[in-house]
Amino acid sequence: MVEIVGVGFMKSGKTYYFDPAGKTFELGDMVIVETARGLELAHILIANKEIDEEELVAPLKPVERKATDEDLRKYKENLGKRDGAMKVCAEKIAKHGLEMKLIDVEFMIDGSKIVFYFSADGRVDFRELAKDLAGHFHNRIELRQIGVRDEAKMLGGIGICGRPLCCSKWLHDFQPVSIKMAKQQNLSLNPTKISGTCGRLMCCLNFEDKTYKELRKGMPKDNERVDTPDGLAKVVNVDYFNGRINTRGIEIDPETGEEIFAQEIKSYSKEEIKRRKGKDKKAGRDDDVEDIVDDAELRELEELMREF
């Protein structure tokens, strides 16, 4: 077992483990910790506790100290410099004609460097910009390119659900999200309907994906022909949460051999129907081929999402 404290930073919802180094910290304490960027102000999210060593992925860095009044004063002072630094950097970006969007600026609490965050469609040669900024601020400059999801996480905002963005409030890490998740949840595949403020697929599509996968097991697809207690039928839609399959009965015209669909919709449980195995001669394809077609459609939508 290893003693740790959980630490959070001002612009990140993720919790990082640090070594308390023999000190006792309480929830909400402001502390100074060393990261790859330098000394930073953070707050305690998890007070001293012991965890299994297997839960750690890297050696723990120690908490440097509790934040002093001077540290807090310096932090507030740095926040006051933010707008001025943003303005200067934006002017110099325009001067150098660089295709980049300035997102934020952060002053290290120990004064070791200034970090500018930006987004861009491709790689940007910012060497001359960095020299120009270093000459203006007389400090070490770091320009860090971030993706559109990190941009949304840093800036925050309100999602289409009316709540603050998950990524800026509590979501620790970005998980892969695909168009197929939206399809499995019977959502509209219109990019504007399933995209977040960042322009990428909404992270919340991933939250219920596992549940939908479980609910879909053994369920027929829309338009699939199944055998019911009342005869052959075509699946209209599936209510996964209630476990019901809505169908229209099918009768064969004895003279023409054409299918006639009943107007009445009947609902059955999964246990009451029998799926037809093998090739559906009417549809002219089997389930495996249908999956291939679906995957091709999904690839087209994913390409559209990238353009969007």
Side-chain angles (χ1 to χ4, degrees), residues 39 85 100 153 221 245 270:
L39 293 179
M100 55 194 289
K153 181 175 184 176
K221 299 177 181 179
I245 299 120
K270 181 170 65 174

Side-chain angles (χ1 to χ4, degrees), residues 156-214:
I158 303 296
I160 60 173
C161 59
R163 297 177 63 84
L165 300 180
C166 297
C167 59
S168 66
K169 297 303 290 184
W170 63 269
L171 190 63
H172 292 176
D173 296 300
F174 291 115
Q175 299 296 325
V177 185
S178 69
I179 287 281
K180 199 164 189 176
M181 292 179 180
K183 185 177 176 67
Q184 287 181 153
Q185 296 173 36
N186 290 334
L187 298 175
S188 166
L189 298 185
N190 184 336
T192 61
K193 302 281 189 181
I194 54 178
S195 301
T197 57
C198 60
R200 297 292 185 265
L201 290 171
M202 294 186 295
C203 293
C204 54
L205 292 177
N206 190 43
F207 299 166
E208 297 179 359
D209 185 56
K210 185 176 179 181
T211 300
Y212 272 93
K213 283 181 179 177
E214 289 296 322

Side-chain angles (χ1 to χ4, degrees), residues 80 89 133 141-142 155 274:
C89 187
L133 290 171
I141 300 296
E142 179 179 338
L155 296 179
K274 183 177 180 182

Side-chain angles (χ1 to χ4, degrees), residues 246-285:
N246 300 316
T247 67
R248 289 186 189 275
I250 300 176
E251 293 184 2
I252 306 298
D253 189 312
E255 295 183 1
T256 63
E258 294 183 354
E259 293 181 344
I260 302 173
F261 295 98
Q263 293 297 315
E264 181 185 3
I265 294 179
K266 293 186 177 181
S267 177
Y268 302 94
S269 67
K270 181 170 65 174
E271 292 72 26
E272 291 178 300
I273 68 164
K274 183 177 180 182
R275 298 185 68 181
R276 295 193 156 198
K277 300 195 179 193
K279 194 167 185 177
D280 186 330
K281 295 182 180 179
K282 184 68 179 176
R285 64 187 184 185

Side-chain angles (χ1 to χ4, degrees), residues 64-123:
E64 294 294 323
R65 64 178 185 275
K66 280 189 179 182
T68 63
D69 291 340
E70 177 63 19
D71 292 324
L72 298 177
R73 185 196 64 77
K74 186 67 176 175
Y75 178 75
K76 291 179 181 178
E77 182 182 311
N78 288 340
L79 286 180
K81 297 178 184 177
R82 178 186 176 277
D83 290 343
M86 289 280 286
K87 183 179 179 180
V88 169
C89 187
E91 289 173 352
K92 294 191 178 296
I93 288 173
K95 171 187 168 184
H96 290 278
L98 298 175
E99 294 293 328
M100 55 194 289
K101 178 184 176 184
L102 182 62
I103 305 300
D104 201 3
V105 60
E106 184 178 9
F107 290 78
M108 295 296 100
I109 201 162
D110 59 353
S112 59
K113 65 180 174 181
I114 307 171
V115 183
F116 291 90
Y117 299 92
F118 72 94
S119 63
D121 292 333
R123 296 188 65 179

